[in-house]
Amino acid sequence: MAIITLLEAINQALDQAMEKDQSIVVFGEDAGFEGGVFRVTAGLQKKYGETRVFDTPIAESAIVGSAIGMAMNGLKPVAEIQFDGFIFPGYTDLVTHAARMRNRSRGQFTVPMVLRLPHGGGIRALEHHSEALEVLFASIPGLKVVTPSTPYDAKGLLLAAINDPDPVVFLEPKRIYRAGKQEVPAEMYEIPIGKAKVVKQGTDITVVAWGSIVREVEKAVKLVEAEGISVEIIDLRTIAPVDEETILNSVKKTGRFMVVTEAVKSYGPAAELITMVNEKAFFSLEAAPVRFTGFDITVPLARGEHYHFPQPEKIAAYLRKLAKARP
């Protein structure tokens, strides 16, 4: 085992997958020679050559469209969009072709591609660099959407995504690319897509989060546990399809439910998860579910960015209020 960052875990997964399977190709804007803007793919072009790891023009539609064609013709493309907010020119191809091809061809064709997107904020960047757009992908039938919160999960989820027969959107929380290290097995392993992880057991409140926000929730929980509030933390890991069983079993135990995400509030994933709990575990609830999200605004630029994100102290305030709430 090596102690590595989330960024290094993704690089290791790509390296090992490419070494094992000659059909895997990696590409995107600056993904080849430079190793990507965050250097996630650093060293791969030197090792595997320009035919398997290469740079593309600044043309997201071409990146996604090319990946679809490659996937339908025997390759396993792992395409990178440089920042999540740059996806829109390629969104049409992803939704109208990648997500629909299995259904359109009645199973004759599948699209085994991975679309890697640095996700969310936290790096004080400019416009289009800090969005949390998971709802745009998770609401589309035919797409799977995953996001890791730890180096261990990053490697296992990416290897599972590469081996999946259908298109997977792999959201990489850029805020924690290098924030902390973890022991990660040297060998290849997979984490099943569609399975959440109970990060911490608790009895009073169930909190669901994903990506970089899991760490903020953990910090908040430490604050309220000193006051006697027991919180169960669930890392969603797969945003689509959702692991309903793990969430519902937890809510039936705790009776209180909260979702924390940096995505905007309206029509977002938090609302969907709360609806699911209301529909399937209503009589287990002891208080109305709560969502703590980003604001319904364009993410503020640079130094103002942090005002948009759930902070541990504010998450803790929501938890205290929920713990006291009654039907």
Side-chain angles (χ1 to χ4, degrees), residues 194 242-249 276 280:
V242 169
D243 181 357
E244 294 186 0
E245 181 180 6
T246 296
I247 296 172
L248 294 175
N249 286 341
M276 182 263 290
K280 299 185 179 182

Side-chain angles (χ1 to χ4, degrees), residues 123-127 130 299-306:
I123 61 168
R124 297 184 177 184
L126 302 176
E127 187 178 4
S130 303
V299 180
L301 302 181
R303 287 179 293 178
E305 189 186 48
H306 70 280

Side-chain angles (χ1 to χ4, degrees), residues 17-214:
M18 293 187 75
E19 187 172 33
K20 180 180 179 181
D21 189 342
Q22 298 295 313
S23 68
I24 296 173
V25 291
V26 173
F27 57 93
E29 298 163 15
D30 293 325
F33 181 78
E34 295 289 347
V37 68
F38 294 101
R39 304 300 184 260
V40 180
T41 56
L44 296 181
Q45 186 182 83
K46 183 176 181 180
K47 184 173 182 178
Y48 296 103
E50 296 182 14
T51 59
R52 295 188 63 197
V53 184
F54 53 90
D55 297 320
T56 69
I58 303 174
E60 287 77 17
S61 179
I63 293 171
V64 178
S66 297
I68 294 169
M70 292 176 186
M72 292 177 63
N73 286 278
L75 296 177
K76 290 184 179 179
V78 181
E80 175 186 312
I81 302 297
Q82 197 169 69
F83 284 91
D84 38 12
F86 297 177
I87 184 59
F88 296 103
Y91 188 69
T92 297
D93 300 275
L94 187 67
V95 173
T96 59
H97 299 299
R100 294 170 180 261
M101 192 57 65
R102 177 186 284 275
N103 181 70
R104 180 183 298 156
S105 66
R106 296 300 185 263
Q108 293 184 65
F109 293 100
T110 61
V111 184
M113 62 174 280
V114 177
L115 187 64
R116 295 178 41 246
L117 285 89
H119 170 259
I123 61 168
R124 297 184 177 184
L126 302 176
E127 187 178 4
H128 300 304
H129 290 69
S130 303
E131 282 81 0
L133 302 173
E134 48 264 54
V135 67
L136 296 184
F137 310 109
S139 62
I140 302 301
L143 294 181
K144 297 174 183 178
V145 185
V146 300
T147 184
S149 67
T150 66
Y152 180 88
D153 286 359
K155 180 177 179 179
L157 285 171
L158 182 53
L159 289 173
I162 291 171
N163 290 323
D164 198 280
D166 292 301
V168 179
V169 178
F170 192 82
L171 303 177
E172 301 174 3
K174 62 176 83 79
R175 187 181 186 184
I176 57 173
Y177 265 145
R178 296 178 173 86
K181 297 185 177 183
Q182 184 184 30
E183 283 191 349
V184 174
E187 66 272 11
M188 299 178 72
Y189 61 91
E190 293 186 18
I191 291 175
I193 292 176
K195 185 62 178 176
K197 175 177 63 177
V198 178
V199 176
K200 179 187 169 301
Q201 298 282 346
T203 58
D204 297 330
I205 301 173
T206 297
V207 178
V208 171
W210 52 91
S212 67
I213 300 301
V214 174

Side-chain angles (χ1 to χ4, degrees), residues 205-239:
I205 301 173
T206 297
V207 178
V208 171
W210 52 91
S212 67
I213 300 301
V214 174
R215 297 188 181 201
E216 306 308 306
V217 170
E218 290 178 304
K219 295 173 186 176
V221 167
K222 289 181 180 179
L223 296 176
V224 301
E225 284 202 320
E227 304 164 17
I229 301 173
S230 176
V231 181
E232 183 149 300
I233 304 173
I234 296 177
D235 180 355
L236 196 59
R237 294 199 296 197
T238 300
I239 300 171

